[in-house]
């Protein structure tokens, strides 16, 4: 039997679901259905979360190195000075 509610499930009795519903759309439909059991809605929310809210990616080595360097010398008075201005005299 395919996953999901059986046809006689009272939660979905009388509802017509689209035939080409993606698994994510189905999970969101169950999660937002006020007649579904609370535990089932919670399981669908946990299952759908990674597809709706992605993880923050880890930084690469260069980005981490640049961020660490900016944090060390960024706000102190001993940080790197700006380069000298060039005065072009013609």
């Amino acid at each position: 039997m395919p996953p999901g509610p059986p046809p006689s499930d009272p939660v979905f009795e009388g509802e017509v679901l689209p035939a080409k519903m993606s698994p994510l759309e189905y999970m969101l439909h169950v999660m937002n259905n006020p007649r579904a059991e609370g535990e089932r809605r919670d399981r669908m929310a946990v299952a759908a979360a990674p597809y709706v809210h992605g993880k923050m990616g880890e930084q690469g080595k260069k980005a981490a190195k640049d961020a660490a360097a900016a944090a060390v010398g960024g706000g102190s008075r001993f940080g790197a000075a700006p380069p000298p201005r060039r005065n072009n005299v013609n």
Side-chain angles (χ1 to χ4, degrees):
M1 179 181 271
S8 63
D9 190 353
V11 172
F12 293 102
E13 190 173 316
E15 287 190 43
V16 178
L17 299 176
K20 300 214 177 206
M21 183 179 274
S22 71
L24 176 61
E25 291 171 336
Y26 176 75
M27 286 187 279
L28 294 174
H29 177 77
V30 173
M31 183 183 77
N32 293 321
N33 187 345
R35 295 185 298 159
E37 296 174 8
E39 184 179 332
R40 184 169 185 211
R41 292 175 67 186
D42 291 343
R43 285 194 316 257
M44 290 296 170
V46 168
Y51 300 103
V52 177
H53 307 287
K55 290 184 194 177
M56 291 182 63
E58 292 184 23
Q59 293 183 350
K61 289 182 182 179
K62 286 185 180 180
K65 183 179 174 182
D66 291 343
V72 169
S76 71
R77 65 181 187 168
F78 299 109
R85 292 185 57 182
R86 285 186 65 165
N87 293 330
N88 291 337
V89 178
N90 288 336

